[in-house]
Amino acid sequence: MKDLDWGNLGFAYQKTDYRFVARYKDGAWDEGRLTTDESITMNESACVLQYAQTCFEGLKAYRTKDGHIVCFRPDLNAARMADSCRRMIMPVFPEDKFVDAVVQTVRANADWVPPFGSGATLYVRPFMFGADPILGVKPANEFEFRIFCTPVGPYFKGGVKPLTVRISDYDRAAPRGTGHIKAGLNYAMSLYAIVDAHEQGYDENMYPDAGTRTYLEETGGANILLITKDGKVVTPKSDSILPSITRRSLMFVAKEYLGLEVEERKVRIDELDQFAECGLCGTAAVISPVGKIVDHGREICYGMDKMGPITEKLYKTLVGIQMGEIEAPEGWIKRID
Ligand SMILES: *Cc1c(COP(=O)(O)O)cnc(C)c1O
């Protein structure tokens, strides 16, 4: 194992030993291979550079209590990336080969997988881009699929701090646009809003539906969970929300492990004060509690001192399943070694 200060790593890129690269040319993917070269050389008019033809995924590898290296539900990342590719007119990298490439990449970088109990994980980033030169607006002909990984520190360093978020005046995803896929372009257009939010003292933006600005969708990079005062778990429903694997897993855990009622439905921004707890969910944090939502001067407070009790139960159960301390549903944990 590498000698790193695992508990103090941030969420930042660090070069590891190997990455996976496959190339699509003349209508077919090559077998792909591991390489030590982290740099990409491409033509100045590559489709990704001019027209942002790219999509990505994100998942974690980590060590379980009994010492195995595992990934959490990589088959769902494979399926979601296939959806992203189809929407971006990019060739799907076959789902079974995607999972196999994740396994190969993590295995080759096993020394970089943090020890159990450190709170750190190996973040795995698959991505694809249109690589050959084009000028007229059309999809590329050649594509590269890559996976790199980088160790990242515990999300809640120095304890859990509930977030203060605002209802954004900017939009994240158009109705019938690309909000439901993991395209880099969704992030490009959110950069202005997140920098502005930070300048104004907020941790995150919550985006309303762009069509009517009435319903809650998600933040720039995490889905939203709400807990009603009588303990039901609610998540917003919309075609322009990115289907978070963490959120889908938490909804399953709520129902099947904790016996809670769950509901995916439209959530109006003006009913947010009817809920008891709120959290943001995604691979990085699993759940981060929201302490306060500011909607143009109207403040909705869920509590700034700690995670809500049901949010905490959900968090602990899912993390327990991931770490091998609670029995996982069939197929959720992919053993790497
Ligand atoms: C990646 C992402 C999420 C979280 O998805 P997970 O699969 O749980 O990591 C949520 N919202 C957006 C916009 C995302 O890009």
Side-chain angles (χ1 to χ4, degrees), residues 258-277:
L258 302 176
L260 300 169
E261 249 189 276
V262 298
E263 189 176 27
E264 186 178 357
R265 65 161 170 90
K266 287 187 162 196
V267 175
R268 289 193 325 277
I269 288 166
D270 67 13
E271 66 171 312
L272 284 174
D273 54 1
Q274 299 303 305
F275 294 92
E277 299 176 35

Side-chain angles (χ1 to χ4, degrees), residues 56 58 80 172 182 187 218-223 242-247 281-283:
F56 67 100
R80 191 169 66 186
R172 185 190 87 89
K182 222 167 165 72
Y187 281 77
E218 61 170 324
T219 70
N223 282 184
L242 192 282
S244 157
I245 293 164
T246 314
R247 186 255 301 165
C281 49
T283 293

Side-chain angles (χ1 to χ4, degrees), residues 145-159:
F145 171 66
R146 286 191 164 240
I147 305 175
F148 67 78
C149 44
T150 193
V152 297
Y155 194 85
F156 298 114
K157 265 198 285 291

Side-chain angles (χ1 to χ4, degrees), residues 156 158-164 276-278 289-292 301-309 312:
F156 298 114
V160 177
K161 281 188 290 298
L163 306 175
T164 300
E277 299 176 35
C278 178
V290 172
K292 191 198 286 184
C301 295
Y302 302 109
M304 292 303 292
D305 48 326
K306 57 178 185 334
M307 219 184 243
E312 186 172 12

